Amino acid sequence: SQELEQSPQSLIVQEGKNLTINCTSSKTLYGLYWYKQKYGEGLIFLMMLQKGGEEKSHEKITAKLDEKKQQSSLHITASQPSHAGIYLCGALQSGGSNYKLTFGKGTLLTVNP
Amino acid sequence: KAGVTQTPRYLIKTRGQQVTLSCSPISGHRSVSWYQQTPGQGLQFLFEYFSETQRNKGNFPGRFSGRQFSNSRSEMNVSTLELGDSALYLCASSPRLAGYSSSYEQYFGPGTRLTVT
């Protein structure tokens, strides 16, 4: 089965600093999803990447899927306290005709003012 | 459009009881998926319903079941509750069924926090 490893597990940065979160898959990724979650709440969809080398940005968050399609990175520029939360990567996994979205364990981001 | 709603938000049950959770998807979305989130196991897929039929399934025991109604609203039932069932249960909706489109964006509800004592 496909496993998604996220690193680091947690991250504490000072407001204004840049940071990167990585998501590595044991298999080729055919669609990689990034979500953000506030503790104990639902997930907020950030972006989806499909093609090797694809890069998408939303406000100060940029995500990229590498050429070999086994790793994705999420980069936040000039972090703000509003960026704090848990970032999760997810990938669609298939087993015959059964499909499911599997997720990494998440990266907890703390941004200190 | 209104987002995904889940009721109730919090629930406390006793071991051995059963529980039913409810989810209303975004208007027009026909796919509803359920997930269990715990600190130890993370976010795990339970099942996905599309047009009132369970189409995809995770690796959970038969005590976990669900159904979907003609208006796409979905319910999840857990019978014979165990302490380990304490978790945040998340529902997500999508306009498409997993595996049938290259674009499969899911939109999550706020979750139901279930505590089993």
Side-chain angles (χ1 to χ4, degrees):
Chain A
S1 63
Q2 182 169 47
E3 290 190 2
L4 296 174
E5 294 275 341
Q6 285 188 238
S7 62
Q9 287 186 318
S10 63
L11 194 52
I12 301 174
V13 300
Q14 205 65 30
E15 182 177 359
K17 294 296 185 183
N18 302 335
L19 63 105
T20 299
I21 297 168
N22 293 303
C23 176
T24 303
S25 172
S26 58
K27 297 184 179 180
T28 300
L29 294 163
Y30 291 101
L32 192 287
Y33 303 80
W34 282 101
Y35 286 87
K36 178 187 173 185
Q37 183 180 31
K38 290 286 191 182
Y39 181 76
E41 298 180 8
L43 279 65
I44 299 168
F45 174 77
L46 294 176
M47 55 193 91
M48 179 187 73
L49 304 165
Q50 288 180 281
K51 301 174 184 176
E54 184 175 11
E55 185 173 308
K56 287 188 177 178
S57 294
H58 176 68
E59 298 180 344
K60 293 184 178 180
I61 301 176
T62 300
K64 183 175 181 179
L65 184 61
D66 80 350
E67 292 290 341
K68 295 182 180 178
K69 295 176 69 175
Q70 286 197 260
Q71 185 176 46
S72 177
S73 59
L74 185 85
H75 185 77
I76 299 177
T77 304
S79 58
Q80 302 169 351
S82 61
H83 288 128
I86 302 168
Y87 289 82
L88 295 125
C89 64
L92 204 57
Q93 177 181 345
S94 70
S97 59
N98 194 58
Y99 291 85
K100 61 180 180 179
L101 201 56
T102 59
F103 288 86
K105 291 289 177 73
T107 295
L108 174 61
L109 173 63
T110 303
V111 181
N112 290 326
Chain B
K1 279 185 179 179
V4 178
T5 58
Q6 292 186 244
T7 57
R9 292 293 312 277
Y10 302 91
L11 207 48
I12 300 175
K13 288 286 188 179
T14 303
R15 194 170 45 183
Q17 288 185 316
Q18 74 165 13
V19 67
T20 299
L21 312 182
S22 181
C23 172
S24 291
I26 291 172
S27 178
H29 286 192
R30 294 165 65 190
S31 161
V32 174
S33 296
W34 288 90
Y35 294 84
Q36 180 195 67
Q37 187 176 35
T38 58
Q41 298 298 317
L43 193 59
Q44 293 185 290
F45 172 75
L46 281 154
F47 33 66
E48 178 180 18
Y49 282 83
F50 187 89
S51 294
E52 301 179 64
T53 305
Q54 186 181 99
R55 301 294 295 270
N56 293 302
K57 191 177 187 311
N59 300 320
F60 278 80
R63 298 187 298 108
F64 293 82
S65 62
R67 59 176 176 169
Q68 187 180 33
F69 303 95
S70 58
N71 60 359
S72 293
R73 191 177 69 85
S74 176
E75 288 182 347
M76 188 191 83
N77 184 275
V78 187
S79 62
T80 319
L81 283 166
E82 300 176 0
L83 296 178
D85 296 334
S86 294
L88 180 67
Y89 289 89
L90 293 163
C91 157
S93 76
S94 174
R96 305 170 193 88
L97 174 63
Y100 282 78
S101 170
S102 59
S103 173
Y104 180 63
E105 297 170 16
Q106 287 192 315
Y107 298 88
F108 283 76
T112 293
R113 171 74 63 186
L114 172 64
T115 302
V116 182
T117 62

